[in-house]
Amino acid sequence: MKFFPAQTYIDRRAKLKSDVNSGLILLMGNNEAPINYPDNHFRFRQDSSFLYFFGLNQFGLNAIIDTESGEEIIFGNEFSVEDIVWVGQQETIAAKAAQVGISDVRPSSKIASILSAAKSKGRDVHFLPPYRFDNKLQLMEWLNLGANEITPSVSTKLVNAVINLRSYKSAEEITEMTHAVNISREMHINAMRTIAAGKKEYEVVSEIYRTAKANNCYLAYPAILSINGQTLHNHGHYNTMTGNRLVLNDSGAENEMCYSGDITRTAPVSGKFSDKQKEIYNIVLEMEESSIAALKAGIMNRDLHIDANKLMLRRLKELGLVSGNTDELAEQGMGGLFMPHGLGHQIGMDVHDMEDLGETLVGYGEGLTRSTQLGLKSLRLAKKLEAGFVITVEPGLYFIPELIEQWKADKMFAEHINYDKLKDYYDFGGIRIEDDILITENGHQILGDKIPKTIEEVENAMAN
Ligand code: GLY
């Protein structure tokens, strides 16, 4: 198990304690999650906030911070000899806890009485929104709450305090994230080299997983890879790649410290982009590069999303696919037909960082309301960017026949969308290009080494 220096966790907990400043903070770790019976479980993934404050990547742990006495306790059961017979000798929880600055480790059975004593004395017990059912049930039992009482009892104070800490990535986190992006880069380059007409998509996916595993990483989310790039989150990989199609690959590594990369590239099956593909590809590339160029602290990400839509519609007008005042039409939401998702989101230990704490709280903050327009409504990060945020920039341009047909039938922007000409693109698929970027006071830094991105770079990577 790999840790940051103990002082990192000690400092994080001290800040959390002073920000919350009342009662107990309960941070729940995750348990193993069965696939089809308890002993056959999904890959274990620790809760990211638990990892952030307590660092122990192990199932069956919970922790309490007493903001008044200052006590910090990890609860968990040490392996018995019988456990060791099955899983081998393990470092004790106490030994691991010492590496994150915790000297007080108690058996799991001891937590209930501490929580109920706090409750009976009328002390606050702060907890985060549970997203796993076993943790919900556990909370109901410990805090004597009904199922419907969990959500209203979540501590907004704790949620905001955690968001306030985890949003700003430290230098040591940036090192980890850069590592995750560099492994993601290798996954993408190996995927580009594997793409070939006649092969199945899953053959490319297997190369992505192999590259991750060969570098002691997992995937941060199931690979999205398809010749049907117009399907935004396509997790089926059964198609045969054919000569005239594009392959959209959205995949990223999660490294040993559980930091994520989230990268998308789109490549032609044949190894060479056709002229028609180049036209659309270069629009997306320009959207991505101009959005990144504008990144710095103080910019509203919502504005960047709308600017990217304006640029896209301006270029589609040059191709004769749309007409009219494209800036106004972008404000009215016409871009949603071609990019029905947001420009990006925060990334960190979670690929959609802190989304379990509430997407709107994390990405909008106070005073910003979510749009109902297709595309803009899916923007996960709308608020002002601040130094220390790491975000994705991931514009795309898709031709989704079902959506186009629906808009046509509904006479959406009927005067300004050339529905007849769009028929020529029904078998085009979609293009997305994505990088992970650190926001700095005066600008930004794209994480990791350069990943082939221009048409020439992608074609060269495929040829090698
Ligand atoms: N890369 C997958 C996502 O952002 O949802």
Side-chain angles (χ1 to χ4, degrees):
M1 207 175 283
K2 201 174 154 195
F3 302 105
F4 292 127
Q7 197 60 42
T8 296
Y9 301 99
I10 293 168
D11 291 346
R12 289 172 177 176
R13 291 192 297 268
K15 284 193 197 123
L16 187 67
K17 222 180 287 183
S18 87
D19 285 355
V20 173
N21 203 24
S22 77
L24 299 185
I25 299 169
L26 166 63
L27 288 169
M28 298 186 79
N30 282 334
N31 298 309
E32 291 198 297
I35 300 175
N36 46 353
Y37 51 90
D39 272 354
N40 189 22
H41 36 75
F42 291 101
R43 165 175 88 86
F44 173 69
R45 175 55 156 84
Q46 184 57 289
D47 174 77
S48 297
S49 292
F50 187 89
L51 270 180
Y52 185 83
F53 294 103
F54 287 92
L56 266 59
N57 194 357
Q58 180 173 322
F59 56 86
L61 303 179
N62 294 290
I64 284 180
I65 301 174
D66 188 324
T67 62
E68 287 147 38
S69 71
E71 279 177 300
E72 299 174 333
I73 314 164
I74 291 181
F75 298 86
N77 296 329
E78 298 291 2
F79 282 100
S80 65
V81 171
E82 205 167 319
D83 293 326
I84 289 167
V85 168
W86 289 96
V87 298
Q89 183 54 268
Q90 309 285 321
E91 196 176 13
T92 62
I93 300 170
K96 290 177 207 159
Q99 296 187 61
V100 296
I102 296 287
S103 54
D104 193 347
V105 175
R106 304 186 195 177
S108 294
S109 60
K110 302 290 183 201
I111 195 169
S113 58
I114 294 178
L115 292 170
S116 66
K119 269 204 86 169
S120 60
K121 285 185 196 144
R123 300 182 71 198
D124 293 330
V125 177
H126 300 274
F127 61 87
L128 299 173
Y131 52 89
R132 291 204 178 179
F133 295 112
D134 55 343
N135 278 350
K136 276 186 196 170
L137 288 170
Q138 186 66 83
L139 271 174
M140 286 164 62
E141 185 191 319
W142 281 341
L143 301 178
N144 195 23
L145 294 171
N148 295 336
E149 292 172 302
I150 293 285
T151 302
S153 307
V154 162
S155 167
T156 310
K157 201 171 182 189
L158 177 60
V159 167
N160 284 326
V162 173
I163 293 172
N164 273 335
L165 288 169
R166 283 183 54 193
S167 293
Y168 306 96
K169 275 45 179 191
S170 65
E172 57 201 346
E173 290 184 287
I174 295 302
T175 301
E176 291 299 325
M177 295 196 70
T178 304
H179 172 256
V181 171
N182 279 336
I183 304 304
S184 309
R185 171 181 183 273
E186 219 180 293
M187 286 156 48
H188 275 266
I189 291 173
N190 287 343
M192 284 177 194
R193 290 177 180 155
T194 309
I195 291 168
K199 281 191 184 171
K200 295 284 189 188
E201 292 164 346
Y202 56 70
E203 294 180 69
V204 185
V205 172
S206 73
E207 185 58 26
I208 292 170
Y209 279 81
R210 187 202 65 74
T211 307
K213 198 68 195 150
N215 287 284
N216 194 25
C217 289
Y218 289 103
L219 262 62
Y221 50 97
I224 298 161
L225 183 139
S226 184
I227 55 172
N228 290 315
Q230 79 281 5
T231 308
L232 301 182
H233 275 187
N234 199 329
H235 296 305
H237 307 122
Y238 307 105
N239 295 306
T240 303
M241 295 179 288
T242 51
N244 61 344
R245 299 302 303 259
L246 293 164
V247 179
L248 185 151
N249 172 12
D250 179 343
S251 54
E254 175 179 297
N255 72 4
E256 197 183 344
M257 294 286 281
C258 293
Y259 283 88
S260 301
D262 182 359
I263 300 292
T264 308
R265 291 293 185 266
T266 308
V269 170
S270 68
K272 292 276 172 202
F273 288 91
S274 69
D275 289 342
K276 187 175 175 182
Q277 288 167 343
K278 280 181 186 169
E279 281 175 346
I280 303 297
Y281 191 93
N282 280 329
I283 296 175
V284 183
L285 184 62
E286 191 183 352
M287 289 161 73
E288 204 235 15
E289 291 185 330
S290 64
S291 302
I292 293 175
L295 288 176
K296 63 177 178 183
I299 299 280
M300 295 286 289
N301 207 47
R302 187 179 185 280
D303 294 342
L304 285 188
H305 173 99
I306 294 169
D307 288 349
N309 272 262
K310 287 181 178 168
L311 175 59
M312 172 175 70
L313 292 184
R314 215 175 303 139
R315 296 289 175 253
L316 290 177
K317 183 176 171 179
E318 287 162 12
L319 296 182
L321 292 172
V322 302
S323 60
N325 183 331
T326 48
D327 283 2
E328 277 177 17
L329 292 163
E331 299 274 2
Q332 291 163 24
M334 193 167 88
L337 179 62
F338 304 101
M339 186 173 113
H341 64 71
L343 186 66
H345 50 81
Q346 290 197 63
I347 178 169
M349 274 188 280
D350 307 310
V351 66
H352 294 172
D353 210 24
M354 301 171 280
E355 205 162 283
D356 59 310
L357 303 181
E359 194 183 308
T360 302
L361 272 179
V362 172
Y364 283 70
E366 273 177 35
L368 265 181
T369 46
R370 228 176 161 102
S371 166
T372 52
Q373 281 176 5
L374 185 66
L376 191 52
K377 74 176 175 190
S378 298
L379 181 64
R380 295 189 155 93
L381 173 63
K383 69 185 182 186
K384 205 180 267 184
L385 302 177
E386 295 184 54
F389 285 14
V390 179
I391 67 166
T392 67
V393 172
E394 47 180 311
L397 210 168
Y398 316 87
F399 298 95
I400 307 167
E402 298 82 354
L403 182 64
I404 297 170
E405 287 293 323
Q406 189 195 58
W407 276 40
K408 184 179 172 187
D410 293 345
K411 302 191 171 26
M412 296 276 286
F413 300 98
E415 281 175 35
H416 299 294
I417 296 176
N418 189 340
Y419 286 108
D420 285 342
K421 198 160 179 188
L422 280 179
K423 285 216 166 73
D424 297 341
Y425 290 82
Y426 277 14
D427 62 352
F428 186 94
I431 292 173
R432 180 160 68 250
I433 306 175
E434 173 179 24
D435 286 295
D436 304 332
I437 299 112
L438 168 68
I439 307 300
T440 61
E441 219 44 82
N442 300 314
H444 59 269
Q445 176 199 333
I446 302 180
L447 296 187
D449 299 332
K450 181 138 205 273
I451 306 169
K453 186 155 74 171
T454 65
I455 284 178
E456 196 186 7
E457 287 164 356
V458 172
E459 290 182 350
N460 284 342
M462 295 182 81
N464 289 323

